[in-house]
Amino acid sequence: RRLQPETLDYLQSVEAELGKLTAAAANPKPMTEGGGDDGDDDDSDGPDAADLVANVLEEVEYSAASVAEDRNASFIMQKLVGHCNGEQLAKLLTQLTEYARHLALNRYGSHVLEAVLARAHVLVHGEKDGEG
């Protein structure tokens, strides 16, 4: 099935939010002299990356293969895969398994499968510098 335009719009908005969360995690706010943060709790109002990934995977539960083979959405899916924990990755892999042969032969789906397998390797063996 082709990906619904609304789903792509949703994923593109998620990609922007994920970019903000990733940037915020890479550049944490400095602590104030009192040992706490600066009192600005804006970051706590929104979801963290794990919540965002969980929400997206729930949203695309029945269209994960369509997302994986879409020219634009597949890149977003690959980014999301990089933030999956073991349970989320297992659920996604289960959703994609039925379509694995088709996805492996698809220009975009094959990259999503590669990202899933690479993430599984990291989760099983741990991240090691210099490997990829």
Side-chain angles (χ1 to χ4, degrees), residues 13-59:
S13 70
V14 164
E15 180 183 30
E17 185 65 25
L18 187 61
K20 291 178 195 174
L21 290 171
T22 302
N27 300 310
K29 291 183 180 182
M31 302 293 270
T32 60
E33 278 186 40
D37 64 15
D38 62 2
D40 184 6
D41 290 333
D42 287 344
D43 292 338
S44 65
D45 293 340
D48 62 7
D51 291 338
L52 188 62
V53 170
N55 291 341
V56 172
L57 293 179
E58 184 178 323
E59 187 70 30

Side-chain angles (χ1 to χ4, degrees), residues 1-109:
R1 280 190 316 161
R2 290 209 174 248
L3 189 64
Q4 296 295 318
E6 300 83 21
T7 303
L8 181 57
D9 291 343
Y10 168 70
L11 290 170
Q12 288 171 332
S13 70
V14 164
E15 180 183 30
E17 185 65 25
L18 187 61
K20 291 178 195 174
L21 290 171
T22 302
N27 300 310
K29 291 183 180 182
M31 302 293 270
T32 60
E33 278 186 40
D37 64 15
D38 62 2
D40 184 6
D41 290 333
D42 287 344
D43 292 338
S44 65
D45 293 340
D48 62 7
D51 291 338
L52 188 62
V53 170
N55 291 341
V56 172
L57 293 179
E58 184 178 323
E59 187 70 30
V60 301
E61 182 175 2
Y62 299 106
S63 60
S66 297
V67 170
E69 68 181 10
D70 182 83
R71 182 181 69 196
N72 298 305
S74 65
F75 294 107
I76 300 167
M77 177 73 88
Q78 289 175 61
K79 290 178 184 178
L80 288 168
V81 165
H83 294 277
C84 284
N85 62 32
E87 182 180 329
Q88 293 166 332
L89 194 68
K91 183 176 181 180
L92 178 60
L93 189 55
T94 299
Q95 294 166 0
L96 296 177
T97 298
E98 181 179 344
Y99 307 97
R101 179 175 158 78
H102 174 76
L103 292 172
L105 298 172
N106 179 274
R107 179 178 186 173
Y108 306 105

